Amino acid sequence: MTPVEGLAYDKAMTFQVQILGVGDYFTEIHNYSSFVVNADGRFTLVDCPDGLPRIIKEMNRVADIGVRPEKINHIILTHLHGDHSNGLEGIAYYKKFLQGGKKPVVYSIREVLKDLWSGKLKSAMKNLYSGPSERIGTLPVRELLKECEGVKLEDYLSVIPLEFNKTNRVNNLEVEVRSVKHHVPTFGFKAKYGGKALGYSSDTFFDPRLIDFLKDCDMIVHECDFQKTSPHRGIHTDYHELLRLPESIKQKIFLIHYPDTANQRDSELKLLQQSQVYDIR
Ligand SMILES: [Zn+2]
């Protein structure tokens, strides 16, 4: 679970994460919290911030393990807060217009999926012109809009529900999910590959039962708002609660979704660093 330095590495038998962003919703210096899981060259994006192509390009300047927007076809969506989901519209258009209509697969729990279209994407995406461009100039605006109507979620994305109390297949990962304590329906998960496991808390208030669920993972990505140093208190995890965990668990925890005021010098727990790659071992 050490950061991998530099650009060159062995891509065979790989299970690792690369960090797109580490910030909370109020960050001025980071990207929003998101990461890519690389399991032997197959990528699974965890949450989908806006501006994904730019973020990926910037990330690759620091460490390039082959992540490209074209290779992001599987997305785990933990909840619908904008910092975790606002990039779905962009990646769907990217696939549709730049990758020949390819549809990314979005994996989430049913409580999230039921609102994904009607409560999130529909207002901007329900209209799409697909006729010849020569006609656009001849159409009055009202008629043009009429012709654009009728597009559905399935025209952009495939969605696969993640079930509780079973092992779900996500790309080439085996994933178990658990509801967490947040403002809106949200889940944490364990993703297994090649005998190793990655755990992710997603956004949550500190929950000992979630820790119990994640404790057998080899690497645990946990959100943390540091509370006492954060001006933005909400349903998030207090750093001091994590500090009270057994040493064996603390060693495996890597913090994400932290405020701009957090820094490694003042933290006993490890802070994930944007663009860096971490092997899960
Ligand atoms: Zn959230």
mmCIF file with all atom_site columns, all heavy atoms in Angstrom, residues 35-55:
data_model
loop_
_atom_site.group_PDB
_atom_site.id
_atom_site.type_symbol
_atom_site.label_atom_id
_atom_site.label_alt_id
_atom_site.label_comp_id
_atom_site.label_asym_id
_atom_site.label_entity_id
_atom_site.label_seq_id
_atom_site.pdbx_PDB_ins_code
_atom_site.Cartn_x
_atom_site.Cartn_y
_atom_site.Cartn_z
_atom_site.occupancy
_atom_site.B_iso_or_equiv
_atom_site.pdbx_formal_charge
_atom_site.auth_seq_id
_atom_site.auth_comp_id
_atom_site.auth_asym_id
_atom_site.auth_atom_id
_atom_site.pdbx_PDB_model_num
ATOM 1   N N   . PHE A 1 35 ? -11.628 8.159  -7.311  1.00 0.00 ? 35 PHE A N   1
ATOM 2   C CA  . PHE A 1 35 ? -10.427 7.406  -7.660  1.00 0.00 ? 35 PHE A CA  1
ATOM 3   C C   . PHE A 1 35 ? -10.751 6.334  -8.679  1.00 0.00 ? 35 PHE A C   1
ATOM 4   O O   . PHE A 1 35 ? -11.912 5.987  -8.894  1.00 0.00 ? 35 PHE A O   1
ATOM 5   C CB  . PHE A 1 35 ? -9.755  6.804  -6.416  1.00 0.00 ? 35 PHE A CB  1
ATOM 6   C CG  . PHE A 1 35 ? -10.641 5.977  -5.531  1.00 0.00 ? 35 PHE A CG  1
ATOM 7   C CD1 . PHE A 1 35 ? -10.776 4.615  -5.725  1.00 0.00 ? 35 PHE A CD1 1
ATOM 8   C CD2 . PHE A 1 35 ? -11.350 6.567  -4.476  1.00 0.00 ? 35 PHE A CD2 1
ATOM 9   C CE1 . PHE A 1 35 ? -11.590 3.847  -4.901  1.00 0.00 ? 35 PHE A CE1 1
ATOM 10  C CE2 . PHE A 1 35 ? -12.162 5.811  -3.641  1.00 0.00 ? 35 PHE A CE2 1
ATOM 11  C CZ  . PHE A 1 35 ? -12.283 4.443  -3.853  1.00 0.00 ? 35 PHE A CZ  1
ATOM 12  N N   . VAL A 1 36 ? -9.708  5.859  -9.317  1.00 0.00 ? 36 VAL A N   1
ATOM 13  C CA  . VAL A 1 36 ? -9.839  4.771  -10.286 1.00 0.00 ? 36 VAL A CA  1
ATOM 14  C C   . VAL A 1 36 ? -9.218  3.527  -9.675  1.00 0.00 ? 36 VAL A C   1
ATOM 15  O O   . VAL A 1 36 ? -8.123  3.591  -9.112  1.00 0.00 ? 36 VAL A O   1
ATOM 16  C CB  . VAL A 1 36 ? -9.103  5.110  -11.601 1.00 0.00 ? 36 VAL A CB  1
ATOM 17  C CG1 . VAL A 1 36 ? -9.087  3.899  -12.530 1.00 0.00 ? 36 VAL A CG1 1
ATOM 18  C CG2 . VAL A 1 36 ? -9.759  6.289  -12.289 1.00 0.00 ? 36 VAL A CG2 1
ATOM 19  N N   . VAL A 1 37 ? -9.932  2.406  -9.764  1.00 0.00 ? 37 VAL A N   1
ATOM 20  C CA  . VAL A 1 37 ? -9.364  1.122  -9.369  1.00 0.00 ? 37 VAL A CA  1
ATOM 21  C C   . VAL A 1 37 ? -8.820  0.461  -10.628 1.00 0.00 ? 37 VAL A C   1
ATOM 22  O O   . VAL A 1 37 ? -9.537  0.337  -11.631 1.00 0.00 ? 37 VAL A O   1
ATOM 23  C CB  . VAL A 1 37 ? -10.434 0.207  -8.733  1.00 0.00 ? 37 VAL A CB  1
ATOM 24  C CG1 . VAL A 1 37 ? -9.808  -1.114 -8.301  1.00 0.00 ? 37 VAL A CG1 1
ATOM 25  C CG2 . VAL A 1 37 ? -11.113 0.900  -7.555  1.00 0.00 ? 37 VAL A CG2 1
ATOM 26  N N   . ASN A 1 38 ? -7.566  0.072  -10.585 1.00 0.00 ? 38 ASN A N   1
ATOM 27  C CA  . ASN A 1 38 ? -6.937  -0.624 -11.703 1.00 0.00 ? 38 ASN A CA  1
ATOM 28  C C   . ASN A 1 38 ? -6.707  -2.075 -11.303 1.00 0.00 ? 38 ASN A C   1
ATOM 29  O O   . ASN A 1 38 ? -5.886  -2.363 -10.438 1.00 0.00 ? 38 ASN A O   1
ATOM 30  C CB  . ASN A 1 38 ? -5.598  0.054  -12.043 1.00 0.00 ? 38 ASN A CB  1
ATOM 31  C CG  . ASN A 1 38 ? -4.826  -0.702 -13.116 1.00 0.00 ? 38 ASN A CG  1
ATOM 32  O OD1 . ASN A 1 38 ? -5.396  -1.525 -13.851 1.00 0.00 ? 38 ASN A OD1 1
ATOM 33  N ND2 . ASN A 1 38 ? -3.543  -0.408 -13.225 1.00 0.00 ? 38 ASN A ND2 1
ATOM 34  N N   . ALA A 1 39 ? -7.443  -2.965 -11.920 1.00 0.00 ? 39 ALA A N   1
ATOM 35  C CA  . ALA A 1 39 ? -7.250  -4.397 -11.668 1.00 0.00 ? 39 ALA A CA  1
ATOM 36  C C   . ALA A 1 39 ? -6.769  -5.029 -12.967 1.00 0.00 ? 39 ALA A C   1
ATOM 37  O O   . ALA A 1 39 ? -7.560  -5.258 -13.890 1.00 0.00 ? 39 ALA A O   1
ATOM 38  C CB  . ALA A 1 39 ? -8.555  -5.039 -11.195 1.00 0.00 ? 39 ALA A CB  1
ATOM 39  N N   . ASP A 1 40 ? -5.463  -5.197 -13.033 1.00 0.00 ? 40 ASP A N   1
ATOM 40  C CA  . ASP A 1 40 ? -4.841  -5.768 -14.236 1.00 0.00 ? 40 ASP A CA  1
ATOM 41  C C   . ASP A 1 40 ? -5.237  -5.039 -15.517 1.00 0.00 ? 40 ASP A C   1
ATOM 42  O O   . ASP A 1 40 ? -5.615  -5.668 -16.523 1.00 0.00 ? 40 ASP A O   1
ATOM 43  C CB  . ASP A 1 40 ? -5.145  -7.260 -14.354 1.00 0.00 ? 40 ASP A CB  1
ATOM 44  C CG  . ASP A 1 40 ? -4.173  -8.092 -13.533 1.00 0.00 ? 40 ASP A CG  1
ATOM 45  O OD1 . ASP A 1 40 ? -3.063  -7.604 -13.248 1.00 0.00 ? 40 ASP A OD1 1
ATOM 46  O OD2 . ASP A 1 40 ? -4.532  -9.216 -13.162 1.00 0.00 ? 40 ASP A OD2 1
ATOM 47  N N   . GLY A 1 41 ? -5.183  -3.715 -15.449 1.00 0.00 ? 41 GLY A N   1
ATOM 48  C CA  . GLY A 1 41 ? -5.408  -2.925 -16.650 1.00 0.00 ? 41 GLY A CA  1
ATOM 49  C C   . GLY A 1 41 ? -6.857  -2.638 -16.966 1.00 0.00 ? 41 GLY A C   1
ATOM 50  O O   . GLY A 1 41 ? -7.147  -1.963 -17.949 1.00 0.00 ? 41 GLY A O   1
ATOM 51  N N   . ARG A 1 42 ? -7.761  -3.153 -16.157 1.00 0.00 ? 42 ARG A N   1
ATOM 52  C CA  . ARG A 1 42 ? -9.177  -2.806 -16.340 1.00 0.00 ? 42 ARG A CA  1
ATOM 53  C C   . ARG A 1 42 ? -9.561  -1.798 -15.265 1.00 0.00 ? 42 ARG A C   1
ATOM 54  O O   . ARG A 1 42 ? -9.346  -2.029 -14.070 1.00 0.00 ? 42 ARG A O   1
ATOM 55  C CB  . ARG A 1 42 ? -10.049 -4.068 -16.282 1.00 0.00 ? 42 ARG A CB  1
ATOM 56  C CG  . ARG A 1 42 ? -9.822  -4.928 -17.530 1.00 0.00 ? 42 ARG A CG  1
ATOM 57  C CD  . ARG A 1 42 ? -10.478 -6.269 -17.438 1.00 0.00 ? 42 ARG A CD  1
ATOM 58  N NE  . ARG A 1 42 ? -11.935 -6.183 -17.487 1.00 0.00 ? 42 ARG A NE  1
ATOM 59  C CZ  . ARG A 1 42 ? -12.733 -7.253 -17.591 1.00 0.00 ? 42 ARG A CZ  1
ATOM 60  N NH1 . ARG A 1 42 ? -12.191 -8.471 -17.681 1.00 0.00 ? 42 ARG A NH1 1
ATOM 61  N NH2 . ARG A 1 42 ? -14.041 -7.119 -17.621 1.00 0.00 ? 42 ARG A NH2 1
ATOM 62  N N   . PHE A 1 43 ? -10.130 -0.707 -15.706 1.00 0.00 ? 43 PHE A N   1
ATOM 63  C CA  . PHE A 1 43 ? -10.353 0.432  -14.812 1.00 0.00 ? 43 PHE A CA  1
ATOM 64  C C   . PHE A 1 43 ? -11.814 0.526  -14.370 1.00 0.00 ? 43 PHE A C   1
ATOM 65  O O   . PHE A 1 43 ? -12.725 0.394  -15.188 1.00 0.00 ? 43 PHE A O   1
ATOM 66  C CB  . PHE A 1 43 ? -9.949  1.733  -15.503 1.00 0.00 ? 43 PHE A CB  1
ATOM 67  C CG  . PHE A 1 43 ? -8.510  1.771  -15.919 1.00 0.00 ? 43 PHE A CG  1
ATOM 68  C CD1 . PHE A 1 43 ? -8.157  1.848  -17.267 1.00 0.00 ? 43 PHE A CD1 1
ATOM 69  C CD2 . PHE A 1 43 ? -7.500  1.706  -14.973 1.00 0.00 ? 43 PHE A CD2 1
ATOM 70  C CE1 . PHE A 1 43 ? -6.826  1.875  -17.644 1.00 0.00 ? 43 PHE A CE1 1
ATOM 71  C CE2 . PHE A 1 43 ? -6.167  1.731  -15.343 1.00 0.00 ? 43 PHE A CE2 1
ATOM 72  C CZ  . PHE A 1 43 ? -5.829  1.814  -16.687 1.00 0.00 ? 43 PHE A CZ  1
ATOM 73  N N   . THR A 1 44 ? -12.002 0.776  -13.098 1.00 0.00 ? 44 THR A N   1
ATOM 74  C CA  . THR A 1 44 ? -13.329 1.063  -12.545 1.00 0.00 ? 44 THR A CA  1
ATOM 75  C C   . THR A 1 44 ? -13.246 2.399  -11.829 1.00 0.00 ? 44 THR A C   1
ATOM 76  O O   . THR A 1 44 ? -12.462 2.559  -10.885 1.00 0.00 ? 44 THR A O   1
ATOM 77  C CB  . THR A 1 44 ? -13.763 -0.038 -11.549 1.00 0.00 ? 44 THR A CB  1
ATOM 78  O OG1 . THR A 1 44 ? -13.733 -1.314 -12.208 1.00 0.00 ? 44 THR A OG1 1
ATOM 79  C CG2 . THR A 1 44 ? -15.173 0.238  -11.028 1.00 0.00 ? 44 THR A CG2 1
ATOM 80  N N   . LEU A 1 45 ? -14.036 3.341  -12.285 1.00 0.00 ? 45 LEU A N   1
ATOM 81  C CA  . LEU A 1 45 ? -14.052 4.662  -11.654 1.00 0.00 ? 45 LEU A CA  1
ATOM 82  C C   . LEU A 1 45 ? -14.985 4.632  -10.457 1.00 0.00 ? 45 LEU A C   1
ATOM 83  O O   . LEU A 1 45 ? -16.092 4.088  -10.545 1.00 0.00 ? 45 LEU A O   1
ATOM 84  C CB  . LEU A 1 45 ? -14.535 5.701  -12.674 1.00 0.00 ? 45 LEU A CB  1
ATOM 85  C CG  . LEU A 1 45 ? -14.647 7.143  -12.182 1.00 0.00 ? 45 LEU A CG  1
ATOM 86  C CD1 . LEU A 1 45 ? -13.270 7.718  -11.859 1.00 0.00 ? 45 LEU A CD1 1
ATOM 87  C CD2 . LEU A 1 45 ? -15.357 8.008  -13.231 1.00 0.00 ? 45 LEU A CD2 1
ATOM 88  N N   . VAL A 1 46 ? -14.547 5.221  -9.357  1.00 0.00 ? 46 VAL A N   1
ATOM 89  C CA  . VAL A 1 46 ? -15.403 5.321  -8.169  1.00 0.00 ? 46 VAL A CA  1
ATOM 90  C C   . VAL A 1 46 ? -15.802 6.782  -7.995  1.00 0.00 ? 46 VAL A C   1
ATOM 91  O O   . VAL A 1 46 ? -14.973 7.649  -7.711  1.00 0.00 ? 46 VAL A O   1
ATOM 92  C CB  . VAL A 1 46 ? -14.672 4.797  -6.919  1.00 0.00 ? 46 VAL A CB  1
ATOM 93  C CG1 . VAL A 1 46 ? -15.557 4.970  -5.684  1.00 0.00 ? 46 VAL A CG1 1
ATOM 94  C CG2 . VAL A 1 46 ? -14.310 3.331  -7.115  1.00 0.00 ? 46 VAL A CG2 1
ATOM 95  N N   . ASP A 1 47 ? -17.055 7.029  -8.222  1.00 0.00 ? 47 ASP A N   1
ATOM 96  C CA  . ASP A 1 47 ? -17.671 8.358  -8.269  1.00 0.00 ? 47 ASP A CA  1
ATOM 97  C C   . ASP A 1 47 ? -17.116 9.165  -9.442  1.00 0.00 ? 47 ASP A C   1
ATOM 98  O O   . ASP A 1 47 ? -16.065 8.851  -9.996  1.00 0.00 ? 47 ASP A O   1
ATOM 99  C CB  . ASP A 1 47 ? -17.549 9.096  -6.939  1.00 0.00 ? 47 ASP A CB  1
ATOM 100 C CG  . ASP A 1 47 ? -18.475 8.460  -5.896  1.00 0.00 ? 47 ASP A CG  1
ATOM 101 O OD1 . ASP A 1 47 ? -19.478 7.837  -6.290  1.00 0.00 ? 47 ASP A OD1 1
ATOM 102 O OD2 . ASP A 1 47 ? -18.187 8.589  -4.695  1.00 0.00 ? 47 ASP A OD2 1
ATOM 103 N N   . CYS A 1 48 ? -17.874 10.183 -9.828  1.00 0.00 ? 48 CYS A N   1
ATOM 104 C CA  . CYS A 1 48 ? -17.635 10.784 -11.145 1.00 0.00 ? 48 CYS A CA  1
ATOM 105 C C   . CYS A 1 48 ? -17.716 12.307 -11.065 1.00 0.00 ? 48 CYS A C   1
ATOM 106 O O   . CYS A 1 48 ? -18.774 12.894 -11.283 1.00 0.00 ? 48 CYS A O   1
ATOM 107 C CB  . CYS A 1 48 ? -18.674 10.227 -12.120 1.00 0.00 ? 48 CYS A CB  1
ATOM 108 S SG  . CYS A 1 48 ? -18.301 10.588 -13.832 1.00 0.00 ? 48 CYS A SG  1
ATOM 109 N N   . PRO A 1 49 ? -16.590 12.947 -10.761 1.00 0.00 ? 49 PRO A N   1
ATOM 110 C CA  . PRO A 1 49 ? -16.593 14.415 -10.680 1.00 0.00 ? 49 PRO A CA  1
ATOM 111 C C   . PRO A 1 49 ? -16.696 15.037 -12.066 1.00 0.00 ? 49 PRO A C   1
ATOM 112 O O   . PRO A 1 49 ? -16.329 14.420 -13.068 1.00 0.00 ? 49 PRO A O   1
ATOM 113 C CB  . PRO A 1 49 ? -15.236 14.726 -10.050 1.00 0.00 ? 49 PRO A CB  1
ATOM 114 C CG  . PRO A 1 49 ? -14.364 13.580 -10.462 1.00 0.00 ? 49 PRO A CG  1
ATOM 115 C CD  . PRO A 1 49 ? -15.263 12.374 -10.521 1.00 0.00 ? 49 PRO A CD  1
ATOM 116 N N   . ASP A 1 50 ? -17.157 16.257 -12.123 1.00 0.00 ? 50 ASP A N   1
ATOM 117 C CA  . ASP A 1 50 ? -17.242 16.973 -13.389 1.00 0.00 ? 50 ASP A CA  1
ATOM 118 C C   . ASP A 1 50 ? -15.823 17.293 -13.895 1.00 0.00 ? 50 ASP A C   1
ATOM 119 O O   . ASP A 1 50 ? -14.879 17.350 -13.121 1.00 0.00 ? 50 ASP A O   1
ATOM 120 C CB  . ASP A 1 50 ? -18.034 18.279 -13.173 1.00 0.00 ? 50 ASP A CB  1
ATOM 121 C CG  . ASP A 1 50 ? -18.827 18.663 -14.402 1.00 0.00 ? 50 ASP A CG  1
ATOM 122 O OD1 . ASP A 1 50 ? -18.684 17.985 -15.450 1.00 0.00 ? 50 ASP A OD1 1
ATOM 123 O OD2 . ASP A 1 50 ? -19.598 19.630 -14.323 1.00 0.00 ? 50 ASP A OD2 1
ATOM 124 N N   . GLY A 1 51 ? -15.706 17.466 -15.183 1.00 0.00 ? 51 GLY A N   1
ATOM 125 C CA  . GLY A 1 51 ? -14.400 17.803 -15.765 1.00 0.00 ? 51 GLY A CA  1
ATOM 126 C C   . GLY A 1 51 ? -13.441 16.630 -15.806 1.00 0.00 ? 51 GLY A C   1
ATOM 127 O O   . GLY A 1 51 ? -12.216 16.809 -15.706 1.00 0.00 ? 51 GLY A O   1
ATOM 128 N N   . LEU A 1 52 ? -13.979 15.441 -15.967 1.00 0.00 ? 52 LEU A N   1
ATOM 129 C CA  . LEU A 1 52 ? -13.159 14.224 -15.884 1.00 0.00 ? 52 LEU A CA  1
ATOM 130 C C   . LEU A 1 52 ? -11.975 14.198 -16.865 1.00 0.00 ? 52 LEU A C   1
ATOM 131 O O   . LEU A 1 52 ? -10.858 13.849 -16.457 1.00 0.00 ? 52 LEU A O   1
ATOM 132 C CB  . LEU A 1 52 ? -14.068 13.010 -16.089 1.00 0.00 ? 52 LEU A CB  1
ATOM 133 C CG  . LEU A 1 52 ? -13.588 11.679 -15.558 1.00 0.00 ? 52 LEU A CG  1
ATOM 134 C CD1 . LEU A 1 52 ? -13.341 11.706 -14.067 1.00 0.00 ? 52 LEU A CD1 1
ATOM 135 C CD2 . LEU A 1 52 ? -14.593 10.595 -15.909 1.00 0.00 ? 52 LEU A CD2 1
ATOM 136 N N   . PRO A 1 53 ? -12.170 14.553 -18.145 1.00 0.00 ? 53 PRO A N   1
ATOM 137 C CA  . PRO A 1 53 ? -11.011 14.501 -19.059 1.00 0.00 ? 53 PRO A CA  1
ATOM 138 C C   . PRO A 1 53 ? -9.851  15.384 -18.603 1.00 0.00 ? 53 PRO A C   1
ATOM 139 O O   . PRO A 1 53 ? -8.688  14.990 -18.685 1.00 0.00 ? 53 PRO A O   1
ATOM 140 C CB  . PRO A 1 53 ? -11.612 14.990 -20.391 1.00 0.00 ? 53 PRO A CB  1
ATOM 141 C CG  . PRO A 1 53 ? -13.050 14.618 -20.312 1.00 0.00 ? 53 PRO A CG  1
ATOM 142 C CD  . PRO A 1 53 ? -13.420 14.846 -18.863 1.00 0.00 ? 53 PRO A CD  1
ATOM 143 N N   . ARG A 1 54 ? -10.168 16.580 -18.097 1.00 0.00 ? 54 ARG A N   1
ATOM 144 C CA  . ARG A 1 54 ? -9.105  17.462 -17.600 1.00 0.00 ? 54 ARG A CA  1
ATOM 145 C C   . ARG A 1 54 ? -8.411  16.858 -16.381 1.00 0.00 ? 54 ARG A C   1
ATOM 146 O O   . ARG A 1 54 ? -7.180  16.857 -16.273 1.00 0.00 ? 54 ARG A O   1
ATOM 147 C CB  . ARG A 1 54 ? -9.683  18.835 -17.227 1.00 0.00 ? 54 ARG A CB  1
ATOM 148 C CG  . ARG A 1 54 ? -8.674  19.766 -16.563 1.00 0.00 ? 54 ARG A CG  1
ATOM 149 C CD  . ARG A 1 54 ? -9.319  21.017 -15.991 1.00 0.00 ? 54 ARG A CD  1
ATOM 150 N NE  . ARG A 1 54 ? -10.352 20.740 -15.012 1.00 0.00 ? 54 ARG A NE  1
ATOM 151 C CZ  . ARG A 1 54 ? -10.132 20.408 -13.736 1.00 0.00 ? 54 ARG A CZ  1
ATOM 152 N NH1 . ARG A 1 54 ? -8.900  20.291 -13.289 1.00 0.00 ? 54 ARG A NH1 1
ATOM 153 N NH2 . ARG A 1 54 ? -11.132 20.177 -12.910 1.00 0.00 ? 54 ARG A NH2 1
ATOM 154 N N   . ILE A 1 55 ? -9.214  16.324 -15.462 1.00 0.00 ? 55 ILE A N   1
ATOM 155 C CA  . ILE A 1 55 ? -8.643  15.742 -14.243 1.00 0.00 ? 55 ILE A CA  1
ATOM 156 C C   . ILE A 1 55 ? -7.723  14.568 -14.591 1.00 0.00 ? 55 ILE A C   1
ATOM 157 O O   . ILE A 1 55 ? -6.622  14.437 -14.047 1.00 0.00 ? 55 ILE A O   1
ATOM 158 C CB  . ILE A 1 55 ? -9.781  15.273 -13.301 1.00 0.00 ? 55 ILE A CB  1
ATOM 159 C CG1 . ILE A 1 55 ? -10.535 16.491 -12.748 1.00 0.00 ? 55 ILE A CG1 1
ATOM 160 C CG2 . ILE A 1 55 ? -9.231  14.421 -12.168 1.00 0.00 ? 55 ILE A CG2 1
ATOM 161 C CD1 . ILE A 1 55 ? -11.811 16.140 -12.001 1.00 0.00 ? 55 ILE A CD1 1
#
